[in-house]
Each structure stands twice: as structure tokens, then as C-alpha cells.
Amino acid sequence: MHSVHFTAETSLNGVVERDFTVGEVPGVLFSPASGSDPAPLVLMAHSGGQHKRAPGIVGRAHRFVTCCGFAVAAIDAPGHGDRPRTTEFEQRVAALRQAQSAGEPVTAIVVDLHTYLAERAVPEWRVTLDALRELPQIGTEGPVGFWGIMQGTGIGVPLTAAEPRISAAVFGCLGHESLTEAAAQITVPIEFLLQWDDELLARESGLALFDAFASKQKTLHANAGGHFEVPRFEVDSATRFFARHLGQAVRSPA
Amino acid sequence: MHSVHFTAETSLNGVVERDFTVGEVPGVLFSPASGSDPAPLVLMAHSGGQHKRAPGIVGRAHRFVTCCGFAVAAIDAPGHGDRPRTTEFEQRVAALRQAQSAGEPVTAIVVDLHTYLAERAVPEWRVTLDALRELPQIGTEGPVGFWGIMQGTGIGVPLTAAEPRISAAVFGCLGHESLTEAAAQITVPIEFLLQWDDELLARESGLALFDAFASKQKTLHANAGGHFEVPRFEVDSATRFFARHLGQAVRSPA
């Protein structure tokens, strides 16, 4: 079994950020600067072309830590951030760029890319989760949440379907019938983001994925605006969602 | 012009409740027990068969007052609560009950009832708003929000379309093409609730009404569950929505 190897540590605004590796997967663990009780863990998966320290990840991770005392782990997806890019990955990305430049439909290429990534990322996340729960500040008993939109949903839906330790998840800004089967296996509480005027995702496709989750508690947050215009207040909503379902009090107004 | 006549006052948990009339319309004004600064005003319209002191109104009103220091006004819709029931109103309610008992479609009857009510309630709300803003604790300058789902949306959508002083509104659990034209005139921020498994409202109908609002800032909150199962945490969300758009800080974690 792999362990967490910490490689660097910084501290900012009450949040300790520790770079780590689990096997060959690099990640960052965000946790409260004070306090030693085991904390609920939130796993964060970045979007396509992004990485574990993308601003959208770091900003949300800090909110989750400071508002609720969560520990938050982000890792690089295969081919992203500090990770090597395989020929298969490069070919898929090149096909995507080519189709985008030509103004051709990209859905089939994105689905193929996400499927390729999820096949690799789901076992990586599970090994990383095993290792993180060996840390005393997290522990083997605490609840685990998942946050990931766009490509993070492409990886997160099959991960959450496969991983019984994840007890609440935020997904969104993605939808395709290739995810329906995994979504139908998910019964934990879900918050699902959708951009009502998404120029990259058919509205019906996102609504259909939300509909597919078997969860008795699921909430769709659809906001006016385009694909990259998810409103900032949805961070607060995700914070409260995790606070409700992972059993932490909100320390400051979120 | 009508004035506010206060008829009774009680105080509970930091909230003063004052019964009032404006002309022949009875209402309740909820406001903070302490503090004398002019406060933003939230108008609350109850659902069908309910009244100004229905538990769903009083509970939410208390949250709006204690979390944000808002003043909140609820009035009885025509034929509801302490108000006389006209023959026209009685006939419509009887037709609704009969169709419900027979298991027949009720949509056309509900639309007719809401139209009947809105024709009367919209001018009543506007006169009530005029009178409330003469009170020093509210004032003529402060922002105004509207909250009303189900029948409250049937009245609130035409009211918000007609009333430029309303600058943010929460609607939901209703949808019909009879409201599309008014919705398309509304440009203020909207939070719209929808029950994903609503047994009384076709999902497409609710989504279509949300789609019809011209507002650049609008958010759909669709929750798993039936018509009467709106989750309690939506009260917190509405509180923060009004705090954002009516310019108040959230005093306690909502």
C-alpha cells in the first residue's frame, strides 16, 4: 500500500498547504492551521486543462477549510499539472483542439477523453484516499465529500459510484449518456451545478444527468450565464452542502 | 392614500409581530425587536388555502428578520385568512375541489383562480407597499424583496413585473404559459424553486417559467421530492439571496 509523502509546506491565512505524492500521483492537502481533531475530508478534482493548484481549486479549498475546518485534497489528473503526458493522452487532446479550431462538434471527443482519464483517475483517487486516511489528522472513520465540475464530474461520477466512502458530492457543468449508468448507482446527497446558457453543453444533457442520480437528496442549481460563469456564491452553497452532509458546523457566515 | 393601522403587537424571540390593516387588507409586519435604522422590506405572499400567519410564512419571516434584520410583511390574499369570500371566489374554489376529488385535471382551474386573485392582489400589494414605506422603520428609499411560491408566484410574478420598487424575488413551484409574458418583463435577480418530482406540476412547465424570466441573474434550485417537500435549507438560501441583493449582512450563519 502507498503512503502519503509530503514534499513541501506553506501556510497562508490560517490554511496549511502541503504538497504530497501518493505513488506517482502529486497532490496538495489543504488543512486548518490550528486544530488537531480528525476532520472530514473533501476530495477536489480540477477541470480539463487545469491542475491541482488552479485558482478555482485553491480558492474553494480555502473556503472549505476556513469555513468548516475540513481537510481538502486535490490531485493532478493523468496528463495534467506536474504529470507526464502519454501519447494516448496527447492524441486525444490534439483531436479536441483540432475540432475546437475547426468549429466541429466535440462531444464524442470529450466523452472519449473523460472515459480515458476516469479509467486511470478512479483507481488513483481510491489509492490516494486509502493513504490520506492513514494520516492522524484525517483518520479512517471520518466522512468524505467530493467536489468536481466539468472534467471533475467526468471523473467524479464513476469515482463516487465506485467508492462507498464518499458520502456527499458536488458535480456539474457536464452531461452525457455515457455517465447515466454510473449516476444511477449513486445514492448519496448530490448538489449539481448547471449553467442555464451554457454554450458548450446542451441544457437537456445536463438536466438528464441530474435526473439520472438515484439520490433521494439531490439539488440542481442552475444559474443564468455561460459555461465559465458559475457564480461565486455557489462556493458558499457547496460549503453549506458539505457542512450539512459531512457533519461540520459552519464556523463563519458562508 | 391609505395608511398602516396597527391593531395588535406581540414579541417573540427577538421578532416583533404587528398585525395591521391597510384599507380592508389585513397583514402582519415582522421586524427586529431592537434597532431603529430603516430596514429593507421583504413582502411575503402565502400559498393557496393558506394565510398571512401560515407556519411556512411565519417561520421564514422570523429567519429573514433574525438573520438579516429585514422587515417582513405578509398580507392575506383575497378570500384567504381573515378576508371575506366572494361568490366568484367560492365558485372557483368549489370547481377546484370538485376536480381534485374527481381526479380530473386542475391546471386550467388553478390558472383561472390565480388570474382572478392576481387582478385583485397586485393593486392591494402596491397600496400596502405605499403605506408600509411611510413607516419610519422602513422608509421610502430602501430596497424591497418579494417571496412567494405556488399561489404566491401566481400573484408575485405579475406584481414584480408591475412594481419597479421590487428589486429581487424568490418564486417557485408553479409554471404556466399564462405567466410567461409577465416573467419576460422581469429583469431583477430571481431565485426559483422547483420540486423535481412534483406530482402537481409538470417539470417542463416549471423549467419553462424559469427560462422566461429576462433577469440576467437568475438561479433555479430544483430539489428531489414532491410538491410539498421543499427542503428546509432553502430558507437559508433565500435569506442569503435577499442579503446579497437587498444589501444586508447576514448576522448569524444562515
Side-chain angles (χ1 to χ4, degrees), chain B:
Chain B
M1 162 172 175
H2 289 290
S3 300
V4 176
H5 291 279
F6 289 109
T7 56
E9 177 172 328
T10 58
S11 187
L12 182 67
N13 299 328
V15 179
V16 178
E17 302 184 6
R18 286 185 287 177
D19 293 307
F20 68 80
T21 58
V22 172
E24 298 186 346
V25 177
V28 187
L29 181 64
F30 304 84
S31 51
S34 59
S36 58
D37 290 341
L41 175 65
V42 176
L43 311 177
M44 296 190 72
H46 59 76
S47 303
Q50 302 284 322
H51 56 82
K52 62 188 177 303
R53 283 194 179 277
I57 295 291
V58 174
R60 289 179 177 92
H62 275 244
R63 292 297 294 272
F64 295 157
V65 171
T66 57
C67 286
C68 294
F70 294 136
V72 177
I75 64 175
D76 284 333
H80 290 70
D82 297 328
R83 302 189 62 181
R85 295 162 71 105
T86 63
T87 305
E88 296 135 305
F89 176 77
E90 295 278 18
Q91 286 168 342
R92 285 172 169 84
V93 171
L96 178 60
R97 296 282 170 263
Q98 193 171 357
Q100 285 172 327
S101 303
E104 293 167 359
V106 299
T107 302
I109 302 172
V110 169
V111 168
D112 176 58
L113 176 59
H114 287 182
T115 304
Y116 170 85
L117 291 172
E119 282 171 359
R120 287 149 186 82
V122 168
E124 288 173 359
W125 264 119
R126 301 190 73 181
V127 168
T128 302
L129 182 55
D130 289 341
L132 288 168
R133 283 162 67 96
E134 293 297 315
L135 299 172
Q137 70 174 101
I138 293 171
T140 56
E141 300 299 323
V144 178
F146 177 88
W147 186 98
I149 60 175
M150 308 177 191
Q151 179 183 296
T153 290
I155 291 170
V157 168
L159 172 62
T160 303
E163 179 49 77
R165 291 174 291 187
I166 295 176
S167 54
V170 177
F171 299 127
C173 302
L174 192 71
H176 190 265
E177 59 199 20
S178 63
L179 293 169
T180 303
E181 193 178 335
Q185 296 169 32
I186 293 176
T187 57
V188 299
I190 296 296
E191 192 161 278
F192 192 88
L193 303 177
L194 190 70
Q195 288 299 98
W196 198 247
D197 311 296
D198 197 319
E199 67 281 13
L200 301 181
L201 174 69
R203 186 185 296 166
E204 287 308 319
S205 178
L207 291 173
L209 179 54
F210 174 69
D211 195 45
F213 292 104
S215 313
K216 282 186 187 159
Q217 293 181 68
K218 60 180 179 180
T219 302
L220 170 70
H221 284 190
N223 287 287
H227 188 69
F228 297 104
E229 298 178 321
V230 176
R232 295 174 69 95
F233 57 73
E234 289 296 349
V235 187
D236 300 333
S237 183
T239 302
R240 290 183 304 273
F241 171 80
F242 285 130
R244 284 199 301 278
H245 296 294
L246 306 181
Q248 288 288 97
V250 177
R251 290 175 181 181
S252 58

Side-chain angles (χ1 to χ4, degrees), chain A residues 80-147:
Chain A
H80 289 71
D82 298 326
R83 303 191 61 182
R85 295 161 72 106
T86 63
T87 305
E88 295 135 305
F89 177 77
E90 294 278 19
Q91 286 169 342
R92 285 172 169 82
V93 172
L96 178 60
R97 296 283 170 263
Q98 194 172 357
Q100 285 172 326
S101 304
E104 292 167 0
V106 299
T107 303
I109 301 171
V110 170
V111 168
D112 176 58
L113 176 60
H114 286 183
T115 303
Y116 170 84
L117 292 173
E119 282 171 0
R120 285 148 188 82
V122 168
E124 287 173 0
W125 266 119
R126 301 191 73 181
V127 169
T128 301
L129 181 55
D130 290 341
L132 288 168
R133 284 163 67 96
E134 292 298 314
L135 299 172
Q137 69 174 104
I138 293 171
T140 56
E141 300 298 322
V144 178
F146 176 88
W147 186 97

